[in-house]
Amino acid sequence: MPKVLFINPPVIDATVEFNRPVRWPSFSYATPVLHPPLWLATAAAYIREQGFEVGLIDAIAERLSLESFLGKITGFRPDFLVFEISTASLPNDAQVISRCRHEFYSCDNLLPRVILVGPHCSALPEETLRSVPEADAVIIGEYEISLKEYLLKGPVNTLGICYRNRTRGVCEVVSTSLSQDTRLRQSGVQHLNSTQIINNGPRPFLANLDEIPFAARDLLPNEKYFDPVLDNPFTFVLAGRGCPHRCTYCHWPQVFTGHKYRLRSPGKVVDEIEDFWSRSPRLPRGTSYHFTCPPKPRWLSGRRWKSFLFNDDTFTANPDNVRAICNEIIKRKLKVRWGAYTRADFDDESLLQTMKQAGCYLLGVGVESASPAILKRVKKGWEINQAAETVKRLKRLGFQVHLTFMFGLPGETQETIEQTIGWAKKLNPRSVQFSTAIPYPGTEFYDYLRKNDLLLAEVQSGRFFLPMQPLYEYENLSAGDIGEAVLRAYRSYYFRLRYLSVGLKEMLRQPVVFFKNLKRLISFSWGIH
């Protein structure tokens, strides 16, 4: 039976932390955070259903050194390696994949095929293959179905696949038989220099998301994931994919999941919640997180999940679906705690009360800027006064409110930066996130900067696609000004008397997380190491 190994690759510089499986992949900066690779775990569950033996290594969560990571993958002897990569970590990921290739070659093993997935691959499929010469293929868009077809019949004419056409006598045929444990490998590094790249074009988005099984959380080190805003340990859940809104900087809907919000059936969503909530996030001591086939997870009844996050771009984009999910949670009498993302113009108080009854305690809102002109340019689609009313409403109903702001969107000036910092303090949510706007390839924001010759570096630089290292500047606002605004905003918001009572509540709620956050915030905001 062919083996497929899904990988969230390590960071070669082991002194830094990187959070890859999110909308804004980044090295941790203001506060520690580590999210589960839900897309990889979902694809692993789907491929396992097709009869393949699967494994999953989250090298970031396991804090694996490169050498330890290489030892694990060679021990598994995979036929296929599926790497999730990102724009910000591209140079690092390319080096890791190169070492993997040479590790198999030096061990006198036949080489597994290397497949790359994620939004970066979707935005720049051909460029990604050129940047990672050891890769055989990338998958465009959401990848479960395309990956299955690639594994079964190979890349030729498979929609959603962009691949390197191996020359010099390399066989392009991939066996479709699952009854034979055939090693479907290439035969040497001399083939890595092939320059012929074939793009089969994107696959239509999957209409029926109920075809996809629950994420394979039994393959993940679940207790290692945490978020300072949520109750930990936590996990992600998706009620749907895609977003109907048109924010110019948001890259998942533009390059990965589309602008149609496709929904799972409410019953299936709550089935998944009930399935994992009744179990512990921690596996018994000695149980491997990585290699489970067929799945026989042995869950403990000890430590429980504390919360989960609906990681949909805008969970409340379809109110009827939200209501159906909440009513199903209430009907089953599930005592759960969860958060979600909503819009700054969401004003359905009746639905908010139902969400609260179903266990929702946290809502995140992407406010981004206090400038009406900037919000209009980036197509947010709501007014400043609506955001203020929404925050006030959420507080009145008892929700914890998390707001996100970003600096550096088109039209930004020193004056608008100060307006945004001041407005954040006036809104006074439970928690905030400040960052620079990141122009991911494939977004309107990236195209605007490139068209107007405002970019300071190209995609291959990788490290510049980070919250504190903007790769663009404007006539009256330098890249340094934009980055420094983030430091100033965090200092101004969290280290003020009005926030003291909130901080004390957080200390009592999650003391370990609180002191880790405080230490990182002080170090980050004032440059104290």
Side-chain angles (χ1 to χ4, degrees), residues 61 98 124 151 224 281 297 399-400 407:
S98 177
L124 300 170
L151 297 177
K224 295 181 181 292
F399 290 96
Q400 293 180 24
F407 304 114

Side-chain angles (χ1 to χ4, degrees), residues 319-371:
D320 290 341
N321 190 65
V322 175
R323 186 173 285 104
I325 290 172
C326 291
N327 286 338
E328 190 66 24
I329 291 174
I330 295 167
K331 176 183 174 182
R332 300 189 195 186
K333 299 180 180 180
L334 300 181
K335 303 300 181 183
V336 293
R337 284 174 60 78
W338 52 276
Y341 296 113
T342 188
R343 291 251 305 173
D345 58 355
F346 186 69
D347 60 359
D348 190 335
E349 187 160 327
S350 172
L351 180 53
L352 286 170
Q353 290 172 338
T354 302
M355 292 166 65
K356 185 80 174 175
Q357 186 182 354
C360 182
Y361 74 100
L362 168 73
L363 286 171
V365 183
V367 177
E368 318 313 357
S369 176
S371 166

Side-chain angles (χ1 to χ4, degrees), residues 63-84:
R63 294 183 175 272
L64 296 178
S65 67
L66 181 58
E67 297 306 320
S68 297
F69 166 72
L70 293 173
K72 284 186 177 292
I73 63 171
T74 54
F76 186 59
R77 292 183 60 82
D79 301 283
F80 300 92
L81 296 172
V82 181
F83 285 87
E84 179 174 348

Side-chain angles (χ1 to χ4, degrees), residues 237-267:
V237 179
L238 282 177
R241 295 178 179 178
C243 181
H245 304 294
R246 301 279 172 170
C247 306
T248 62
Y249 53 83
C250 192
H251 75 311
W252 274 19
Q254 294 184 70
V255 306
F256 194 49
T257 56
H259 282 294
K260 181 180 180 181
Y261 188 27
R262 295 162 291 128
L263 303 172
R264 299 170 65 195
S265 62

Side-chain angles (χ1 to χ4, degrees), residues 108-124:
D108 200 30
N109 286 330
L110 293 173
L111 297 178
R113 292 190 183 272
V114 174
I115 306 157
L116 310 181
V117 298
H120 182 82
C121 303
S122 302
L124 300 170

Side-chain angles (χ1 to χ4, degrees), residues 501-515:
S501 61
V502 177
L504 290 174
K505 290 177 183 177
E506 287 296 301
M507 181 180 68
L508 295 174
R509 187 173 69 92
Q510 293 190 105
V512 174
V513 173
F514 172 82
F515 284 110

Side-chain angles (χ1 to χ4, degrees), residues 34 117 169 179 417 451 517 527:
L34 185 63
V117 298
S179 62
I417 288 172
K451 179 181 178 181
N517 290 343

